Structure formats: C-alpha cells, structure tokens
Amino acid sequence: MAVRTPDPDPDGDFGFDGVPEPDANPGWLTEIELAEARRRLPMLYVEAVPVRTDGSGQVTSLGVLLRSTPLGEITRTVVSGRVRYGETIRDALFRHIENDLGPMAFPLLPPSPDPFTVAEYFPIPGVSAYSDDRQHAVSLAFVVPVTGTCEPRQDALEVTWFTPEEAASDAVWAEMEGGRGTLIRQALAHLGLLR
Amino acid sequence: MAVRTPDPDPDGDFGFDGVPEPDANPGWLTEIELAEARRRLPMLYVEAVPVRTDGSGQVTSLGVLLRSTPLGEITRTVVSGRVRYGETIRDALFRHIENDLGPMAFPLLPPSPDPFTVAEYFPIPGVSAYSDDRQHAVSLAFVVPVTGTCEPRQDALEVTWFTPEEAASDAVWAEMEGGRGTLIRQALAHLGLLR
Amino acid sequence: MAVRTPDPDPDGDFGFDGVPEPDANPGWLTEIELAEARRRLPMLYVEAVPVRTDGSGQVTSLGVLLRSTPLGEITRTVVSGRVRYGETIRDALFRHIENDLGPMAFPLLPPSPDPFTVAEYFPIPGVSAYSDDRQHAVSLAFVVPVTGTCEPRQDALEVTWFTPEEAASDAVWAEMEGGRGTLIRQALAHLGLLR
Amino acid sequence: MAVRTPDPDPDGDFGFDGVPEPDANPGWLTEIELAEARRRLPMLYVEAVPVRTDGSGQVTSLGVLLRSTPLGEITRTVVSGRVRYGETIRDALFRHIENDLGPMAFPLLPPSPDPFTVAEYFPIPGVSAYSDDRQHAVSLAFVVPVTGTCEPRQDALEVTWFTPEEAASDAVWAEMEGGRGTLIRQALAHLGLLR
C-alpha cells in the first residue's frame, strides 16, 4: 500500500466523514479560514499511541487505527488532531483520544507533559520522516495506556492491537499513513521495546 | 534539620529496623559481604516519587516518606532501594514500592524504562547534589502514580502528601535526607510543575 | 519588577525595534495577517537557553538576554521566535539564535530534536506557568552550548551570563518575562544543576 | 555472526588484550575480587555511541567499534566500560571514550546527565534485549559527538563510520555484540533518525 497522508482529523472540528462532530464550534474558525491558515503557518498537533500494559506497567500491545479514506483506501494511523486556540496540550490530547477511541477507553494520560518525540510533517515528502500533503504540521506524540474499551466513534475506524514485534514490522510500517510507521518505532524505542 | 543520609533501605533485604523482610534471601549476600562491596563499587539503586493524579493525569500531590532514624531523628525521604543481582529495574522498582508503601498502594509503573533523572550519591557531600555517608550509589529515579491506599509497612514510616508548591518549598527541601529535596524538584520539573 | 510578556520576536520577521530584519520576507505573511492568525491559532515557537560549558561538557553559565521594551522597561528573556511555514525546527532554532546572539556565537545545536520541555504560553496568566499577552504560543525549548562570541544584533539587547546558582535565584526569576524564570529552572533541572 | 558478549572492558582497568592500561590501579580491586562481585551485584556501566555532526548539529554518521575477541571472532560494539567507586558518570564516560577512541577524539559530552536509554544486560539471553555472559550490568547510554580524530588505542580495535541508514540495517544489527544493535537503533530513535 502506498504511504499517503490525508489528515485523519482535518480541522479538529470535523470527523473522517466530513460531518461536524457534536462538540464542533463552526463559528470559531471556518473551514475556509482554516484551509487558508494551513498554507501559511505550521499547525500544532498532538498524537497518541494507545497501549495496553500488564500489571507491572510493561506494554503488551499497541493500538493502531484502521480507517478508509474518502477514496476508499484502507490505511493505518494513530490518534491525531489539532490543538485549538486556548486549549492546553493535555486537554487536546484527552479530546482527540475520546474522539477516536470513544468515551469508554479510560486513558491514563502521562503525568509528564513532555512528548516522547516531536514529529514534523511537511507537505513535500522527504524533508523529514513524516509528510502530510495538506499542511505543515508539528506533532507532539505521546504513549497513552488505555484501561477500558476502545470503540471508535467514526464508522470507518477500527482499532487493531499489535504486539511490539508486530508493530515494528515492515508490513505495519508500510501501511501507516504519512510516515507514522516511524512514529510507532519511535514509541517502541521510548518504551524499551524496539529490537 | 541537618541533611544527613543513612540509607533508608540498607541492603535491599532488611527494613529500616534491621529485621529481615519476609522476602529476604540472607544466603545470597551477607551483611558483611554487602558492607564490603559498598566500599569498593558503586551500588545501583532505584527511587520512586509516588504521586496522586486527577482524571486528566495531572499530578495533584506528591508523597514523601517520613521516618525516624536509628538515632531518633525525623527525616523525609522517597521510596528507595537497591537493585539485586539478576533483577530487572522494573521488578526492583515494584518491590521497593510495595515494601515502602504496602501491598494496597496499586502503583502504575511508567511504561517507559527511562528514569526522569539519574541521581549520583557520594559518601562525601559536595561532589554532587546528593550524598550518602555509607556508599557511592547511583539511583534511577521515577515518578509513580499510586491509585490505592499507602500503608507503609515499617513502623517508623509515614507518607505525607504535599501539593506541588509545598513539595518545592525550602522547608521540605531542608528536611529531605541526602539531598533528596533536589530530587523532588527534579521530579516537579519533569512534571512541568516547578515554578 | 512585574512579570509581563511582550513577545521578544513579534512575528519572526521583525526584531525588537520593529525594523524588518535582513532576511525578512514581508510578502510571505503580512503583519495584519499574522496578527489575525495569532487570535485564532496556537503559534509554534522555539526557544533556546544559551550555555557555556567546560572541557567535560558541564555547564558553567547560562546566558540570559536583557532588553528594553517599547515602554522602556528592562526585562530578561531567552532566545525565542516563531517557526515559519515549511521551516524545520532545527532551522528555526539556528535562525533565531543567530538573530539574537549574532553570527559569531557558534552554537552547538543538540543532535537530538527533542526539547527539554514544552512551554505553553497563554494570553491569560495563570493557565500555566507561562503567559504572553499577545497570543497562545507553544514553545519547544532547548539548551544550546555556544562556543563563540555573543554580540546581540539588536541595539536594545545584551547577554548576561549567570552561574547556575544565580540563574535559579528568585531575583532572576522575577525579572524574566512571561514566566521564563520557570523555563530557566526547567533547563537547570534538565542539566542536573538545580538545587 | 553469532551475537556474543564478552565484556569489551572487563574491569575498567584492563584493555581488550588483558594488558593493564597505563591508568590502571591494580591495588584498588583485584581481578579476583571483581570477578566475585560480578556474580553477586549488578555492575554499573556507561556506554557511548560516537557520532559526527554537520554544522546544524544534525548527525551524519555513527561510529561503531570493530574488534577481534580473544577467540579470534570479529564483532562490533560501542564505547563501553565500568563506573568506578567514587567516579562520576561524566568522568567515567570521558575516561572510556578516551580509552577507546584515543586522546585526539575531542568528544563533546552532552550538557545533560540523562542517558538516552538505560540498557540492562543479563547473563542469560532473553531477559531483555541485551546480554553479557559474564555479568549483570546496567548501562547508561549516551550519544557523544566527536570533533577530532579517532585512533583506538587498542590494537584490535577500529572505528567504522556508518550513515544512519547503514547503522539501522539488519546486517550491522547482527554483528553487534550483546544486543547492542538495539542500542544503536535506540540511539537513532533518540536522534530522530530512525525510519
């Protein structure tokens, strides 16, 4: 599968299907204004790799989102979305996890605000490991244990759980959009689980 | 109060009162052998700052251990203990948290094995921020959310919960043994809570 | 001195005195457009704490910028500026260090792209440790050793070198704008130099 | 090549060929005593991945040591050695870099004392990613830019410089002793260079 990078959360207000989410605030920044800003400014994003842990805190599996693009392609991605004006990183992280994994995921947000890595997405592939054809985005990426049930609210979305070995594989790497296979490997390195 | 640094967990096998703990393995390394090793080799330690978090993962309070030394002094410290031969850092961390906070603390060990800081304790004060008159110890320090009830198993031990502001105060700093007031401030910096 | 927070690098294209810098690209985003964006989107910043090190890499002093505000106040700050559209974080960091410290500072940018902390500046003080009355900015902060001569290019700017003890003092803390006294202490914690 | 793990710096006092180094202090801890300690206590190590950087601080190549074991095998490793009693981690790091890369390597030790990872070596393979058949060692690992000429002082030793892509390859991974291919990949992840 080709690695392509439509934004899985185009504007932070609209879901994968373009329908406004219940908590959207359309008056705050219209789609046109946002599209304009995207061509002029780097956009601040948060991303989360959901994980399951055992009793000792060791990660046993990583969650990857499966979704179909508007063009009907199937790609894999992580929890991802824009930070709004006036919103803290922690709040943005919580909001996007709930959006993508549902209200019963019960995430344990990390006590430290420091991301495990900063991913730079450029519109032109090759500048960095990450690309996004719609914008220049800079993402603060976190590993987030979830203790509940993940029920993606978007129809097109599913969560697949991989062992660390599977998540690091070339097969999964190739299916992740926008270079996020590298983000998964960065997460595994951070967890001491990369081989 | 003078800052002094008796080891709060002298050999990993004996509690504060010198009585072997139930899980001790006296044949493995005698007190005399360990005392000898302490004068020849740096000892590997783990330390934990227990914290309480709110629903969004933000730390609301930090736990500090209060204990009386064999000389009757009252000092403050953190969860601290030696890594045994063949033991993983994660297992050592879990063991010492259970030793110091009891079996109902329900700690959430961090998914990443990386400490928030490495503290170097030298027998002679002034070499670093940390000192321990009995040994050269190098400690990997972690912040560990606890979700249950902390009931220190050692008679002399109590847990006091401080707000981030209180924990950073000069008063608490001065009462911590071996320079661990600095360790608390390092933890607060890691948590984005130092002012 | 009151802690206030005019942006030391208002738009990434203009210096402290409002005169376009030589490398400015006025057609790229006008002042009006940028001012508009600032009220709608979080702005991505980089910040750098310049340091001097000894032969073993240990930090001996930290550089803090002294400047006069348009209102004639004297405040302290760090190297700080916006990330432009299409610019890597590393390039933005290099550009702002050269802008603020001159072309002979010879900075040694860190090999890792991970900041020592992420600082969230909000227009309303109190949301976090950091504030900026003109915008919501999220800053990736780095410690950067400099090996040459720092000659700030802006007339109003000077570099003061502090020992770690001085830099952590309440006096310096109170003079830093926008809560950056906390950023300095975060840097010291990262360096293992906070007491 | 089989991955095996003789210690490249058996006791911190002896080189690869077993001949005491000039700065050895044989009276401090005899080989027998050290061998005894190795079977009873975890040993504290430091390790360094030497790198070359370009003008912007970006890593362009990683140095890997090539050496022949006493059995005549050729293996790859990194700078590695024990922390002595009373020695700071920074001093141990500097000493072992000089031992392995020569006095003209001119390393730029990182200003922060925090390792990019903590590697746990166990005598029995499989407990973690790392193994060392002679001991239980816990290693604090650092990335260290070198600016001079690397001339390994030990006859059997050479430095090979790899691009990030080469260093991450399965071929190099398989030649590294004790699982240090994983350490190289951890270093690449820390540097934002893992793909």
Side-chain angles (χ1 to χ4, degrees), chain A residues 97-118:
Chain A
I97 291 171
E98 194 174 50
N99 268 359
D100 285 356
L101 302 183
M104 305 301 283
F106 296 132
L108 298 172
L109 264 59
S112 168
D114 293 339
F116 71 82
T117 199
V118 177

Side-chain angles (χ1 to χ4, degrees), chain A residues 126-148:
Chain A
V127 180
S128 73
Y130 308 101
S131 65
D132 184 333
D133 55 19
R134 295 187 318 102
Q135 63 187 344
H136 172 198
V138 173
S139 158
L140 309 179
F142 298 85
V143 168
V144 180
V146 293
T147 59

Side-chain angles (χ1 to χ4, degrees), chain B residues 174-191:
Chain B
E175 289 179 358
M176 301 290 299
E177 64 182 16
R180 288 182 181 85
T182 293
L183 198 73
I184 294 287
R185 290 181 182 177
Q186 291 267 18
L188 288 167
H190 168 69
L191 296 168

Side-chain angles (χ1 to χ4, degrees), chain A residues 51 53-59 90-91 94 107-114 143 145 189-192, chain B residues 51 53-59 90-91 94 107-114 143 145 189-192:
Chain A
V51 298
T53 59
D54 65 17
S56 74
Q58 188 92 45
V59 168
R90 185 173 292 276
D91 284 347
F94 193 87
L108 298 172
L109 264 59
S112 168
D114 293 339
V143 168
H190 167 70
L191 296 168
Chain B
V51 298
T53 60
D54 65 16
S56 74
Q58 188 92 46
V59 168
R90 186 173 291 276
D91 285 347
F94 193 86
L108 298 173
L109 264 59
S112 168
D114 293 340
V143 168
H190 168 69
L191 296 168

Side-chain angles (χ1 to χ4, degrees), chain B:
Chain B
M1 179 191 298
V3 179
R4 49 187 301 286
T5 60
D7 188 344
D9 185 3
D11 49 12
D13 297 320
F14 291 82
F16 288 125
D17 50 4
V19 177
E21 297 167 3
D23 62 338
N25 179 2
W28 175 76
L29 198 65
T30 69
E31 266 190 283
I32 291 169
E33 289 169 325
L34 187 59
E36 179 68 15
R38 282 210 160 92
R39 296 187 298 109
R40 312 293 282 276
L41 288 170
M43 307 298 287
L44 183 67
Y45 267 63
V46 287
E47 296 190 299
V49 178
V51 298
R52 300 280 191 195
T53 60
D54 65 16
S56 74
Q58 188 92 46
V59 168
T60 53
S61 57
L62 295 86
V64 173
L65 298 175
L66 191 68
R67 72 180 189 90
S68 63
T69 70
L71 297 178
E73 288 180 297
I74 304 295
T75 63
R76 295 189 190 278
T77 190
V78 298
V79 172
S80 178
R82 194 163 64 80
V83 179
R84 288 178 181 159
Y85 180 85
E87 186 180 41
T88 67
I89 289 165
R90 186 173 291 276
D91 285 347
L93 196 55
F94 193 86
R95 176 169 61 87
H96 287 292
I97 290 171
E98 193 174 50
N99 268 359
D100 285 356
L101 302 183
M104 306 301 282
F106 296 132
L108 298 173
L109 264 59
S112 168
D114 293 340
F116 71 83
T117 200
V118 176
E120 302 181 70
Y121 293 84
F122 291 99
I124 300 171
V127 179
S128 74
Y130 307 101
S131 65
D132 185 332
D133 55 18
R134 294 187 318 102
Q135 63 187 344
H136 172 198
V138 172
S139 159
L140 308 178
F142 298 85
V143 168
V144 180
V146 293
T147 59
T149 306
C150 293
E151 295 182 336
R153 301 206 294 202
Q154 323 296 344
D155 286 348
L157 211 56
E158 287 181 24
V159 181
T160 312
W161 294 96
F162 291 112
T163 65
E165 292 70 29
E166 291 166 345
S169 70
D170 290 343
V172 168
W173 189 90
E175 289 179 358
M176 301 290 299
E177 64 182 16
R180 288 182 181 85
T182 293
L183 198 73
I184 294 287
R185 290 181 182 177
Q186 291 267 18
L188 288 167
H190 168 69
L191 296 168
L193 294 175
L194 189 78
R195 294 298 161 101

Side-chain angles (χ1 to χ4, degrees), chain D:
Chain D
M1 179 190 298
V3 179
R4 50 185 301 285
T5 61
D7 187 343
D9 185 4
D11 50 12
D13 297 321
F14 290 81
F16 289 126
D17 49 4
V19 177
E21 296 168 2
D23 62 339
N25 180 0
W28 174 74
L29 199 65
T30 68
E31 268 188 282
I32 291 169
E33 289 170 325
L34 187 58
E36 179 67 15
R38 282 208 160 93
R39 297 187 296 109
R40 314 293 282 278
L41 288 170
M43 307 297 287
L44 183 66
Y45 267 62
V46 287
E47 296 189 298
V49 178
V51 297
R52 300 280 190 195
T53 60
D54 65 16
S56 74
Q58 188 92 45
V59 168
T60 53
S61 58
L62 295 86
V64 173
L65 298 174
L66 191 68
R67 72 181 189 89
S68 64
T69 70
L71 297 177
E73 288 180 296
I74 303 295
T75 64
R76 295 188 190 279
T77 189
V78 298
V79 173
S80 178
R82 195 163 62 80
V83 180
R84 289 178 182 159
Y85 179 85
E87 187 179 42
T88 66
I89 289 166
R90 187 173 291 275
D91 285 346
L93 195 56
F94 194 87
R95 176 169 62 87
H96 287 293
I97 290 171
E98 192 173 51
N99 269 0
D100 285 357
L101 302 183
M104 306 300 284
F106 297 132
L108 298 172
L109 265 60
S112 169
D114 293 339
F116 70 82
T117 200
V118 176
E120 302 181 68
Y121 294 85
F122 290 99
I124 299 170
V127 180
S128 73
Y130 307 100
S131 64
D132 185 332
D133 54 19
R134 295 188 317 102
Q135 63 187 344
H136 172 198
V138 173
S139 159
L140 309 178
F142 298 85
V143 168
V144 179
V146 292
T147 59
T149 307
C150 294
E151 295 182 337
R153 301 207 294 204
Q154 323 295 345
D155 285 350
L157 210 58
E158 286 181 24
V159 181
T160 311
W161 293 96
F162 291 112
T163 65
E165 291 73 29
E166 292 166 346
S169 70
D170 289 346
V172 168
W173 189 89
E175 289 179 359
M176 302 289 299
E177 63 181 17
R180 288 183 181 85
T182 294
L183 199 72
I184 295 286
R185 290 181 182 177
Q186 291 267 18
L188 288 166
H190 168 70
L191 296 168
L193 294 174
L194 189 78
R195 294 299 163 99

